[in-house]
Amino acid sequence: MVGPVLIIHGNEEQRREHLPRIAAGEVMWCQGFSEPGAGSDLASLQARAVRDGDEYVINGQKIWTSGAQFTDWIHVLTRTDPDAPKHRGISYFMLDMRMLGITVRPIVQMHDARGFNETFFEDVRVPAKNRLGEENRGWYVATRTLDFERSGVHRAAAVERVFRPLLEHAAQPGSAGEGRRIVDHLPNRLALADTAIELEVGRVLGYRVAWMQSRGLVGNCEASMSKAFNSELSQRNARRAINMLGLHGALRPGSAHAPLEGRYCASYMSTVSATIAAGTSEVQRNIIANRGLGLPRG
Ligand SMILES: Cc1cc2nc3c(=O)[nH]c(=O)nc-3n(C[C@H](O)[C@H](O)[C@H](O)COP(=O)(O)OP(=O)(O)OC[C@H]3O[C@@H](n4cnc5c(N)ncnc54)[C@H](O)[C@@H]3O)c2cc1C
């Protein structure tokens, strides 16, 4: 999501520095947008950046920073003009995670994963050349970033990756030894067809955004449609799989009795957050209603 935004908003020096390494997969980035008091209402963020000569000094806290413990760079939103209307006093920075004053503290999730973190900034001195876009115009760079974050066809691909093994499992012989397959015992086998149909829809929604990008357009409400549909599909698919596999389906990875290495239990728990990450389903629907359908803001 950083690469395309750099192509649109970065200057020549910033593009030369970052794009080749992003394209080669040599660097990992994390996103420092959300704060304890700024999630859906992101523009109310409070992290501060104060200009000091050729540098800015950044102080504040971010939360839910996915992968911050592994990444090399972070793109961060900060407030540079506290007196301006909230969308107009924000600036966007790119920071090397090794900079002095950045601390990362993990947040442990209910399925024992450590996917995201709290990230603290204490007097972090960042060169002014690391600002992406104009001072106080960072909000517009941020919304572009979110369009790219929401656009990915990867969500449908992720559902496909957990759906295919379930199909293969369903075609295996059942335990009763009467020549019937597992699928013949399933009470809700038609749900497999529902997922197949929805996967096709989800893939096409993702491809539509990719097609727009190939024409130099940035999908906005189209990206929100793809994000909302595919993140909700990931939950439906996990729920259907758990129901099909019966009580054993709820066993965690590592259990000897867990079918398919417990991946559906893991996917059931991890997809709970899919409709929150990258903007909640309610936020996506607001965007679709407002920017896509032209309805007034609710
Ligand atoms: C797995 C995961 C990974 C994440 N990774 C990152 C990351 O790497 N970097 C980062 O910066 N952030 C990250 N986030 C944070 C994510 O962007 C926020 O959680 C999200 O924007 C929602 O904000 P919130 O959690 O503060 O919820 P809130 O904004 O407090 O929302 C609470 C509830 O109110 C509803 N709501 C709020 N406003 C409205 C409205 N106007 N209309 C209708 N309903 C509304 C919401 O839909 C939600 O149901 C991640 C979150 C998750 C779950």
Side-chain angles (χ1 to χ4, degrees), residues 20-96:
R21 287 190 289 159
I22 291 173
E26 289 168 5
V27 283
M28 280 176 69
W29 286 72
C30 59
Q31 181 190 50
F33 283 15
S34 306
E35 297 182 4
S40 302
D41 184 14
L42 183 58
S44 57
L45 62 94
Q46 294 298 324
R48 281 283 274 133
V50 177
R51 183 96 193 213
D52 183 19
D54 286 344
E55 296 177 323
Y56 287 85
V57 183
I58 298 184
N59 280 286
Q61 183 196 342
K62 298 293 171 177
I63 195 165
W64 317 122
T65 333
S66 299
Q69 70 272 47
F70 308 118
T71 48
D72 309 291
W73 284 78
I74 182 167
H75 49 131
V76 182
L77 295 180
T78 61
R79 187 156 301 285
T80 33
D81 184 352
D83 300 322
K86 62 181 180 178
H87 296 91
R88 300 211 187 119
I90 292 171
S91 299
Y92 194 125
F93 291 96
M94 301 177 288
L95 272 66
D96 187 325

Side-chain angles (χ1 to χ4, degrees), residues 38-266:
S40 302
D41 184 14
L42 183 58
S44 57
L45 62 94
Q46 294 298 324
R48 281 283 274 133
V50 177
R51 183 96 193 213
D52 183 19
D54 286 344
E55 296 177 323
Y56 287 85
V57 183
I58 298 184
N59 280 286
Q61 183 196 342
K62 298 293 171 177
I63 195 165
W64 317 122
T65 333
S66 299
Q69 70 272 47
F70 308 118
T71 48
D72 309 291
W73 284 78
I74 182 167
H75 49 131
V76 182
L77 295 180
T78 61
R79 187 156 301 285
T80 33
D81 184 352
D83 300 322
K86 62 181 180 178
H87 296 91
R88 300 211 187 119
I90 292 171
S91 299
Y92 194 125
F93 291 96
M94 301 177 288
L95 272 66
D96 187 325
M97 286 297 277
R98 291 165 302 186
M99 277 176 168
L100 217 59
I102 302 181
T103 315
V104 172
R105 199 159 69 194
I107 299 173
V108 182
Q109 291 147 260
M110 67 175 169
H111 56 303
D112 296 334
R114 287 157 191 256
F116 39 40
N117 305 271
E118 291 176 290
T119 309
F120 299 89
F121 301 85
E122 204 181 330
D123 291 330
V124 179
R125 301 192 77 88
V126 49
K129 69 180 177 62
N130 286 30
R131 198 188 62 230
L132 185 56
E134 290 170 44
E135 187 174 85
N136 296 326
R137 303 277 299 168
W139 178 251
Y140 308 99
V141 187
T143 52
R144 275 283 164 81
T145 310
L146 293 172
D147 288 337
F148 284 114
E149 180 177 12
R150 293 164 183 163
S151 68
V153 77
H154 66 279
R155 289 188 184 85
V159 175
E160 176 114 35
R161 267 200 302 280
V162 285
F163 180 59
R164 290 284 154 205
L166 182 67
L167 277 185
E168 284 161 23
H169 177 75
Q172 300 294 312
S175 53
E178 42 188 36
R180 297 176 80 199
R181 295 158 305 167
I182 290 175
V183 69
D184 299 319
H185 299 279
L186 294 177
N188 51 350
R189 52 189 278 177
L190 294 182
L192 291 168
D194 289 335
T195 298
I197 296 166
E198 291 166 9
L199 249 176
E200 210 53 39
V201 175
R203 201 191 343 256
V204 170
L205 287 173
Y207 283 162
R208 177 163 68 148
V209 183
W211 174 83
M212 290 180 74
Q213 290 170 359
S214 77
R215 295 282 180 282
L217 304 166
V218 182
N220 172 246
C221 74
E222 296 83 0
S224 289
M225 285 181 189
S226 173
K227 198 274 163 179
F229 186 86
N230 283 308
S231 57
E232 290 171 13
L233 172 58
S234 74
Q235 292 175 346
R236 278 197 301 278
N237 183 45
R239 202 163 47 236
R240 285 168 186 158
I242 287 271
N243 286 337
M244 274 180 198
L245 296 171
L247 289 176
H248 285 102
L251 292 172
R252 288 183 177 228
S255 163
H257 303 288
L260 293 157
E261 297 95 42
R263 76 177 73 178
Y264 292 98
C265 175

